[in-house]
Amino acid sequence: SEDLPLKGKKILITAGPTYEAIDPVRFIGNHSSGKMGYAIARTAAELGAEVILISGPTNLGLDHKSVELIRVTSTHEMFVAANSYFEDTDVFIGAAAVADYRPKFVADKKIKKSGDSLSLELTKTEDILASLGEMKRNQKLIGFALETNNEEENARKKLKRKNLDFIVLNSLQDKGAGFKSETNKISIIYPDKKKDFDLKPKKEVALDILNEIIELLNA
Ligand code: C5P
């Protein structure tokens, strides 16, 4: 129907940071709050979708009858969860700030302070979105890019490499955009066009993104 344009659609969303364990008490993480991904999840449910939200560690909750919230900690756990739901999904939105590297070895006891320096060897994590991009059949695949330089060029490379339908670019250079803030300023990049949006509350940004997805699904 008109006011429930996502009725009958299954949407899988990743949100938040990931934590990569160093030892039992320490981890490598990032400043992602999860707000953008949660806003998309809530708005998608309000538009009629059945939503599965796979979230890294955040302070947020989401109580809606059409949202199943799955909490994970590491990139690997997020990867396993995303894979297990992907086949049965219409749209995947990768809004999580996933770690690119994790400690190669996790110490089983707390690492003691000793020398003046300490090196950690890191190894690549799975790229969830790129791997779903290889598996994709009819699913629409949406990614995010947060860049500090050569933003558009880097976003375009990711769009292509990860086999996405569009990528949402948010720049750290824009005031009030990105991590932790209540607002965001985005551009949506398609293989053949680009749309720029104004700075606005994340709830409204979520609606802009979902409207693009509704167009894709109806095309
Ligand atoms: O880290 P990167 O800038 O490549 O992230 C771009 C997109 O890929 C984001 O949508 C992010 O959620 C996703 N991603 C992912 N798994 C990773 C790294 C990034 O799904 N390991």
Side-chain angles (χ1 to χ4, degrees):
S1 84
E2 274 266 315
D3 35 336
L4 291 179
L6 289 174
K7 198 174 159 60
K9 299 296 180 193
K10 292 186 178 169
I11 304 196
L12 184 57
I13 301 170
T14 63
T18 61
Y19 287 180
E20 309 301 329
I22 297 170
D23 70 15
V25 298
R26 304 184 179 97
F27 60 84
I28 295 173
N30 63 68
H31 292 299
S32 170
S33 64
K35 281 175 190 162
M36 194 63 246
Y38 277 64
I40 295 170
R42 172 171 290 284
T43 309
E46 287 166 1
L47 294 174
E50 266 177 64
V51 177
I52 296 174
L53 175 60
I54 305 171
S55 174
T58 68
N59 296 322
L60 305 174
L62 209 175
D63 194 17
H64 187 290
K65 66 174 186 354
S66 305
V67 180
E68 183 183 346
L69 176 56
I70 296 169
R71 294 194 189 271
V72 298
T73 304
S74 65
T75 299
H76 182 69
E77 288 169 10
M78 190 175 275
F79 175 73
V80 170
N83 267 283
S84 74
Y85 290 103
F86 184 65
E87 210 184 278
D88 193 33
T89 219
D90 298 297
V91 180
F92 179 88
I93 306 172
V98 186
D100 294 323
Y101 293 90
R102 63 177 163 82
K104 186 164 184 184
F105 306 103
V106 182
D108 56 6
K109 298 201 176 68
K110 186 182 168 194
I111 298 169
K112 286 290 179 196
K113 178 158 62 179
S114 54
D116 286 340
S117 71
L118 171 70
S119 299
L120 279 178
E121 190 179 350
L122 305 181
T123 185
K124 253 198 184 136
T125 56
E126 296 100 339
D127 192 316
I128 301 164
L129 197 50
S131 119
L132 299 182
E134 285 176 25
M135 291 167 50
K136 134 168 153 179
R137 292 176 198 275
N138 293 318
Q139 297 93 337
K140 304 298 176 197
L141 215 54
I142 317 304
F144 277 72
L146 187 144
E147 303 288 346
T148 52
N149 53 286
N150 294 335
E151 346 181 72
E152 203 178 315
E153 188 192 328
N154 284 321
R156 279 189 193 286
K157 279 187 191 150
K158 282 178 200 171
L159 175 77
K160 203 162 173 225
R161 188 173 69 77
K162 304 194 188 200
N163 195 18
L164 309 179
D165 291 274
F166 66 74
I167 191 159
V168 181
L169 174 62
N170 43 93
S171 167
L172 270 180
Q173 284 163 14
D174 287 316
K175 254 199 219 133
F179 283 152
K180 298 231 154 103
S181 80
E182 299 298 333
T183 54
N184 203 1
K185 187 172 186 303
I186 62 159
S187 299
I188 291 184
I189 299 177
Y190 287 88
D192 57 348
K193 63 182 180 217
K194 174 172 177 258
K195 295 189 185 179
D196 297 314
F197 295 82
D198 294 332
L199 181 70
K200 51 179 96 173
K202 283 184 174 168
K203 175 91 195 166
E204 290 171 33
V205 175
L207 192 56
D208 288 337
I209 293 167
L210 288 163
N211 277 330
E212 298 296 318
I213 291 170
I214 290 163
E215 260 186 56
L216 279 179
L217 289 170
N218 293 335

